[in-house]
Amino acid sequence: MVVLIAILAVLYGKLQGWYTFTLRAVKRVENVERSPMMAIMSESLGGIVSIRGYGLQPMVSRTHAMRVDGMMRALYNNRAANVTIMAIVAAMGSLIIFTTAVLSVVFVTESGVGAVSPGSNLVTLGLTYSTVLTTVFGFLLILSAEVDASMSAA
């Protein structure tokens, strides 16, 4: 059992490292794309009288639309990374719960038909804890990567 926990800890550590690296890079791209968009928005609002006076609204609208598209591409990459990590964490959680269930069935001794064996309580406890722990580890993985990316990519 300790070996299984050690293997899972290593897997979650590797997964967190990969996700933190990916999220940090995506956040940097997002910040780089956001800066020009905010600059053009600020300049447009500051010079709205001149833009209207010279009839440059279509040009400013096109420029702003291009900047928004660039920022949205970065946001899509961020969402894709989040969906990927959630799928991997869910798959790992399902594998942990399945392994717990199979080991419980293999190691629990039956007392008879319809009787409740002392091991059935442990099976229930094991399945409950495996479900809760996989959820907690998944959230910790994502939240720690988000905090790291927010602190280092900004």
Side-chain angles (χ1 to χ4, degrees), residues 73-138:
R73 281 193 300 267
L75 287 174
Y76 291 144
N77 289 334
N78 190 357
R79 299 296 179 250
N82 287 341
V83 167
T84 302
I85 196 69
M86 288 304 293
I88 292 171
V89 167
M92 285 178 66
S94 297
L95 183 65
I96 291 167
I97 293 168
F98 177 74
T99 304
T100 304
V102 167
L103 289 176
S104 299
V105 168
V106 169
F107 292 122
V108 171
T109 58
E110 293 290 332
S111 298
V113 177
V116 177
S117 66
S120 64
N121 293 334
L122 293 176
V123 169
T124 306
L125 188 65
L127 287 173
T128 303
Y129 278 160
S130 65
T131 305
V132 169
L133 285 177
T134 55
T135 305
V136 168
F137 284 149

